[in-house]
């Protein structure tokens, strides 16, 4: 089973041998003849367990010297590009305006170029990220680098964009790559539409490409326009003044994170950038702490911000006197929400995935728990704002309203608005609606509750709504709070600790574990000498998504990963005993 988090030296483009594609000329274009897919490849493109966000595939094989990129793996991406191009055209009844972007992993530029040739052959209008506005041919194209959060935001912030395709495998090893796709809304495509794309991709035999010299691209500095949106969001929260003139260490694990760098510069920060690629590009699992400490001490900075490859997972290292404190996403966002609610009197609608940290629930006006991934979180945001979403996305969503005692299942848009209306103040002023998940994503939207009497009609957007991971505002706000002297650690209930492990499981094993646990729902199980009640979390179709183990002192969650071959297990409980509990439950699930 391939590891998505392989640790080692960064992979350079010149280390990769790309196998030649089978090409044949057609009238004014080129045809890619596709190799036959193996059963494993069919399962990867159309997985049994629905992915939480896009499709990720292993694209490189390690050799004695360097890496190879087999055509059989590379063309899986071309299949998906063609399927997206075809289905979007059918859905719209016309050609689309499409932005294509990528991260900086070594296979991304080649994939983006082929995506642009495929889309151009079908007549779509193509946009890419660049430092200046101009029209170029694909022959002149070099790179359309933009983080996944900014790519998804583009469909909300820029007028007239129908589709965004971004090539990235997020925090995973550079031997992997992936595709995330947004259609009309900044919510990752899921449900029936993603299934339709997978089926179409598998059916393909040949794919035509437009000649690169005749592909026209509209280049623009999309990042700067999205940063204007970020500045607008932040000014509605608190004034930024504490970080002005202060040094801050910034370490993007892949690429240069120009968008975050520019935001910090806007607020007068003295940015000390570490320009070193890491493998895997994920600071939550690959953190050379001594190296970070050295940069903090030499620069005189009290804060280091570490970013994964697509800049949606963050780690903060804070220097307090002679001590260094590491805070991961769950802790950062929990502390920020508590401080904004408690010290700045902000009303917060707390929308989080079920396994996320519960230690800010008490300071929120209300808490909604969702299934894992922004296909759930973003859908909740849009439905509550009266914006239609694909019917299959709501049907496959997992939504619970958290009560002081227990929870209530939310199975309709009316029930969602009723829950929000019963918990929000009736004053029609802007509130913060935060969407966040245990793996690191965070999004902050500004909305105004609109009541008709005592009934909530909708949450009216103050700024364009983002329904995918978009942590840029949170990064700036957290840096500001730290430099104002707020102690993020003391803002969290430290009697409770959150921890996580993963156990290996392919899709069939994931299903077997969930089926076995489904039979135990509502019963007590004894694990490591401790009694737990087994509780289920189900989507609106009744499908089991997450299992919870509950004792008097702790709560654990287990759920199949939507991005890798694993089952993830989380605990919120006492720090020392919790680690042993986590190990015991992991062993139990391995053998269930």
């Amino acid at each position: 089973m391939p590891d998505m988090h392989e640790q080692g030296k960064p992979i350079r483009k010149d280390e990769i041998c790309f196998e030649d594609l089978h090409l044949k000329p057609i009238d004014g274009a080129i045809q890619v003849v596709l190799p036959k897919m193996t059963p494993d490849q069919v399962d990867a493109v159309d997985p049994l367990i629905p992915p939480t966000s896009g499709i990720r595939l292993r694209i490189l094989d390690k050799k004695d010297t360097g890496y190879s990129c087999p055509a059989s793996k590379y063309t899986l991406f071309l299949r998906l590009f063609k399927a997206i191009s075809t289905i979007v055209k059918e859905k719209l009844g016309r050609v689309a305006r499409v932005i294509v972007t990528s991260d900086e992993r070594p296979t991304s530029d080649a994939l983006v170029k082929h995506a642009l040739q495929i889309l151009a052959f079908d007549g779509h209008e193509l946009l890419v990220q660049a430092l200046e506005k101009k029209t170029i041919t694909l022959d002149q194209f070099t790179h359309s680098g933009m983080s996944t959060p900014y790519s998804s935001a583009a469909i909300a912030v820029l007028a007239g964009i129908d589709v965004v395709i971004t090539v990235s495998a997020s925090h995973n090893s550079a031997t992997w790559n992936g595709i995330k796709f947004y259609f009309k809304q900044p919510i990752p495509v899921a449900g029936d539409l993603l299934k339709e794309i997978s089926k179409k991709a598998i059916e393909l035999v040949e794919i035509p490409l437009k000649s690169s010299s005749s592909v026209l691209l509209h280049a623009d500095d999309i990042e700067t326009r999205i940063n204007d949106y970020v500045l607008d969001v932040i000014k509605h929260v608190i004034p930024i003044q504490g970080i002005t003139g202060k040094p801050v260490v910034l370490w993007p694990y892949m690429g240069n994170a120009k968008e975050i760098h520019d935001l910090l510069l806007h607020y007068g920060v003295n940015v000390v950038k570490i320009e070193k690629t890491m493998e895997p590009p994920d600071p939550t699992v690959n953190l050379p702490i001594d190296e970070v400490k050295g940069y903090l001490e030499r620069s005189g900075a009290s804060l280091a911000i570490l970013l994964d490859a697509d800049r949606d997972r963050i780690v903060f290292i804070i220097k307090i006197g002679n001590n260094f404190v590491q805070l991961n996403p769950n802790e950062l966002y929990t502390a920020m929400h508590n401080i904004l609610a408690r010290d700045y009197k902000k009303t917060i609608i707390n929308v989080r995935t079920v396994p996320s940290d519960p230690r800010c629930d008490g300071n929120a006006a209300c808490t909604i728990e969702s299934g894992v991934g922004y296909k759930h979180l973003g859908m909740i945001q849009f439905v509550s704002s009266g914006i239609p979403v694909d019917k299959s996305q709501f049907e496959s969503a997992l939504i619970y309203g958290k009560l002081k005692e227990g929870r209530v299942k939310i199975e309709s848009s009316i029930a969602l608005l009723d829950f929000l209306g019963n918990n929000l103040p009736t004053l029609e002023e802007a509130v913060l609606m935060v969407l966040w998940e245990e793996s690191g994503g965070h999004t902050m939207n500004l909305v105004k509750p609109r009541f008709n009497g005592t009934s909530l009609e909708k949450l009216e957007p103050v700024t364009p709504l983002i329904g995918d991971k978009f942590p840029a505002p949170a990064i700036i706000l957290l840096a500001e709070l730290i430099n104002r002297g707020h102690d993020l650690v003391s803002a969290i209930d430290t009697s409770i600790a959150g921890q996580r492990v993963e156990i290996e499981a392919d899709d069939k094993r994931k299903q077997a574990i969930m089926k076995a646990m489904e039979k135990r729902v509502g019963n007590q199980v004894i694990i490591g000498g401790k009694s737990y009640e087994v509780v289920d979390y189900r989507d609106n179709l009744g499908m089991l998504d997450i299992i919870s183990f509950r004792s008097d002192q702790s709560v654990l969650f287990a759920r199949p990963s939507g991005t890798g071959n694993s089952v993830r297990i989380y605990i919120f409980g006492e720090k020392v005993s919790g680690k042993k509990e986590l190990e015991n439950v992991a062993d139990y699930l391995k053998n269930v």
Side-chain angles (χ1 to χ4, degrees):
M1 190 176 297
D3 183 5
M4 299 178 80
H5 308 285
E6 297 145 309
Q7 196 153 343
K9 291 173 59 179
I11 301 169
R12 304 189 315 270
K13 287 182 185 179
D14 61 9
E15 293 181 285
I16 302 171
C17 177
F18 288 86
E19 184 182 352
D20 290 339
L21 303 180
H22 182 183
L23 304 175
K24 67 178 185 181
I26 56 174
D27 291 341
I30 306 164
Q31 192 100 287
V32 180
V33 180
L34 298 170
K36 188 176 180 180
M37 296 173 70
T38 67
D40 284 347
Q41 289 174 336
V42 170
D43 289 343
V45 171
D46 186 19
L48 284 171
I49 303 295
T52 54
S53 182
I55 291 176
R56 298 176 197 178
L57 304 165
R58 190 181 183 97
I59 190 169
L60 297 180
D61 291 337
K62 182 78 172 75
K63 299 298 181 185
D64 291 338
T65 56
Y67 295 82
S68 69
C69 182
S72 59
K73 293 184 176 182
Y74 188 89
T75 52
L76 297 179
F77 291 84
L78 306 193
R79 288 175 178 272
L80 289 164
F81 294 141
K82 179 61 178 179
I84 292 168
S85 179
T86 302
I87 289 171
V88 161
K89 198 170 181 179
E90 291 172 358
K91 299 285 184 189
L92 292 173
R94 57 173 172 81
V95 296
R97 295 189 77 220
V98 185
I99 298 175
V100 184
T101 66
S102 76
D103 64 16
E104 286 78 12
R105 61 190 61 232
T107 54
S108 290
D109 285 343
L111 288 169
V112 166
K113 287 180 180 179
H114 275 122
L116 292 167
Q117 287 180 279
I118 290 166
L119 292 158
F121 185 89
D122 290 339
H124 298 294
E125 183 181 351
L126 304 175
L127 294 85
V128 293
Q129 163 65 22
L131 295 179
E132 58 180 320
K133 190 170 185 174
K134 57 187 176 181
T135 299
I136 59 174
T137 66
L138 186 55
D139 284 344
Q140 300 167 296
F141 169 84
T142 54
H143 182 53
S144 181
M146 194 156 69
S147 70
T148 302
Y150 274 59
S151 299
S152 65
I155 208 166
V157 175
L158 275 65
I161 302 300
D162 299 303
V163 175
V164 172
I165 299 170
T166 188
V167 177
S168 171
S170 186
H171 55 283
N172 299 123
S173 163
T175 58
W176 291 71
N177 218 321
I179 297 173
K180 289 182 78 171
F181 161 48
Y182 305 86
F183 181 48
K184 297 194 287 189
Q185 293 173 334
I187 307 174
V189 165
D192 290 348
L193 183 53
L194 185 58
K195 182 66 71 173
E196 195 176 340
I197 288 165
S198 294
K199 297 293 187 189
K200 174 68 74 174
I202 291 166
E203 293 169 359
L204 294 169
V205 177
E206 297 177 326
I207 299 175
L209 309 175
K210 192 168 185 177
S211 170
S212 59
S213 60
S214 56
V215 175
L216 286 181
L217 307 175
H218 302 288
D220 199 357
D221 190 356
I222 301 168
E223 282 182 339
T224 296
R225 295 168 69 179
I226 296 171
N227 269 350
D228 290 340
Y229 159 82
V230 177
L231 300 177
D232 191 33
V233 170
I234 290 172
K235 77 179 183 184
H236 285 86
V237 185
I238 56 173
I240 303 301
Q241 54 202 27
I243 56 176
T244 303
K246 301 288 180 63
V248 171
V249 174
L250 179 66
W251 190 349
Y253 270 36
M254 184 181 282
N256 60 20
K258 181 179 180 296
E259 74 287 0
I260 302 300
H261 190 178
D262 287 352
L263 276 177
L264 291 167
L265 290 178
H266 172 86
Y267 289 112
V269 173
N270 175 18
V271 180
V272 180
K273 187 181 284 187
I274 303 176
E275 296 184 352
K276 179 180 178 181
T277 301
M278 298 294 287
E279 174 65 11
D282 180 2
T284 67
V285 300
N286 183 16
L287 176 54
I289 187 65
D290 289 339
E291 197 167 347
V292 178
K293 288 178 181 178
Y295 272 92
L296 286 169
E297 289 173 338
R298 289 191 296 274
S299 66
S302 60
L303 171 63
I305 302 169
L306 285 62
L307 307 169
D308 78 332
D310 62 355
R311 273 91 81 185
D312 61 14
R313 287 188 177 202
I314 62 174
V315 171
F316 276 30
I317 307 297
I318 306 167
K319 186 175 186 291
I320 304 172
N322 293 321
N323 298 317
F324 296 86
V325 177
Q326 175 184 336
L327 293 177
N328 290 328
N330 250 334
E331 299 156 323
L332 288 168
Y333 301 139
T334 298
M336 179 179 70
H337 299 158
N338 284 336
I339 292 168
L340 290 176
R342 183 190 65 208
D343 297 350
Y344 296 92
K345 310 306 177 188
K346 299 297 178 182
T347 300
I348 294 178
I349 302 171
N350 182 35
V351 185
R352 61 171 180 80
T353 55
V354 171
S356 296
D357 198 321
R359 290 177 287 177
C360 64
D361 294 356
N363 283 313
C366 61
T367 294
I368 295 173
E369 297 179 304
S370 84
V372 173
Y374 273 78
K375 64 181 183 180
H376 300 274
L377 295 166
M379 186 275 304
I380 292 168
Q381 172 71 82
F382 277 75
V383 170
S384 63
S385 296
I387 300 170
V389 299
D390 184 77
K391 182 172 177 283
S392 68
Q393 281 193 269
F394 195 92
E395 288 176 344
S396 62
L398 182 158
I399 316 172
Y400 288 84
K402 188 172 181 181
L403 306 172
K404 286 185 179 179
E405 296 293 334
R407 57 186 181 154
V408 57
K409 189 162 174 53
I410 295 173
E411 299 181 276
S412 69
S413 57
I414 294 172
L416 176 60
L417 289 171
D418 284 347
F419 177 80
L420 290 166
N422 290 336
N423 288 279
L424 288 173
T426 54
L427 292 174
E428 295 192 354
E429 58 186 29
V431 303
L432 302 180
M433 190 165 187
V434 296
L435 320 173
W436 61 294
E437 60 179 358
E438 76 293 341
S439 62
H442 187 278
T443 306
M444 179 180 289
N445 286 305
L446 288 153
V447 294
K448 282 187 178 180
R450 293 301 187 197
F451 285 90
N452 182 2
T454 58
S455 297
L456 179 67
E457 292 188 331
K458 67 175 180 177
L459 300 174
E460 187 172 284
V462 176
T463 53
L465 292 181
I466 307 296
D468 195 21
K469 304 173 187 179
F470 194 74
I475 290 171
I476 300 299
L477 290 168
L478 282 161
E480 173 69 16
L481 293 175
I482 290 165
N483 280 283
R484 286 189 183 196
H486 288 283
D487 182 352
L488 269 60
V489 175
S490 68
I492 308 169
D493 180 0
T494 53
S495 68
I496 300 171
Q499 301 175 69
R500 185 186 97 176
V501 296
E502 295 185 43
I503 59 173
E504 285 193 353
D506 60 18
D507 280 357
K508 290 180 181 177
R509 180 60 188 149
K510 292 176 193 176
Q511 285 191 321
I513 290 171
M514 296 304 281
K515 283 181 179 178
M517 290 311 305
E518 189 165 20
K519 296 175 183 176
R520 294 164 171 79
V521 168
N523 297 319
Q524 297 286 322
V525 295
I526 306 297
I527 303 174
K530 192 166 188 174
S531 180
Y532 298 91
E533 180 189 4
V534 179
V535 178
D536 58 338
Y537 284 83
R538 296 177 182 272
D539 66 25
N540 287 332
L541 293 173
M543 299 295 291
L544 180 64
D545 277 17
I546 299 169
I547 284 289
S548 177
F549 300 83
R550 301 190 176 193
S551 73
D552 292 338
Q553 298 84 28
S554 59
V555 58
L556 295 97
F557 301 98
R559 58 102 175 171
S561 170
T563 58
N565 289 320
S566 67
V567 170
R568 294 178 178 172
I569 308 159
Y570 311 79
I571 186 170
F572 294 97
E574 202 279 326
K575 189 170 186 178
V576 177
S577 63
K579 184 177 180 182
K580 184 60 179 174
E581 279 189 73
L582 198 57
E583 292 171 357
N584 289 340
V585 171
D587 287 340
Y588 176 83
L589 291 175
K590 285 177 186 176
N591 299 295
V592 74

